[in-house]
Amino acid sequence: MNRQPSQDGAKSERHREIIAAAMQEFYEQGFAAARLDAIAERAGVAKGTVYLYFDSKEALFEGAVRSVILPVIEHIEILAHEPTGLASDLLKQILVTFYTQVIATDRRRLLRLLISEGPRFPNILVFYHREVVAKAVSVIRSLVSYGVQRGEFRTTAAVDFPMAIFGAAIAGAVWTILFEDIDPIDLNGLCETHLDIVLNGLKAPMAELQTPQRI
């Protein structure tokens, strides 16, 4: 009677182990050079076991992205769903989440992978744009619109170009990927400066905003 929960738990753990192994293989070897047998070896399973969960390397990449990045996206979507209170507070929480949960972690290495190999594998770019980028852009657009509607933010083109709100964060990710060993950047300081520029740039005349705090 108790075997099914145990089996389900073992399958879930095996799935997590394969995902973790796949991410390391993708990070270290790139998408093109990554091999399913190497991923299986990292995970301590037979290659055939990987196929029980994923039928291709592309499917494994998509599963890894869903496991690693989508929880962050889902978190910011929850923050922006039916918003109440200050739009600046919500936007601040989202940007801080992006810095602490993506840029300051190994998740940023996905960006390097997409930049270096995405043009050769357009399907993974399409997938990542649909599942991650488009959702993040939609969240920012809706929050900026919410801030404008309540008179907290001035009317700007940021509603049409919400990706500009992420600009400094993306720069921080790229800088860290390329120059961390040469000229490391203070991500806390960058985040604080980013918040100051964005929130004061969006602020409507006479609107009261809380001073951004260090993360």
Side-chain angles (χ1 to χ4, degrees), residues 9 49 82 100 173 180:
T49 302
E82 296 183 355
T100 58
E180 185 173 25

Side-chain angles (χ1 to χ4, degrees), residues 12 20 44 55 69 114 138 141 167-168 196:
S12 179
D55 60 11
I69 294 291
L114 290 166
S138 177
R141 176 179 286 117
D196 178 64

Side-chain angles (χ1 to χ4, degrees), residues 198-212:
V198 167
L199 296 182
N200 281 296
L202 290 172
K203 182 171 61 175
M206 306 304 293
E208 292 293 331
L209 287 179
Q210 295 181 355
T211 301

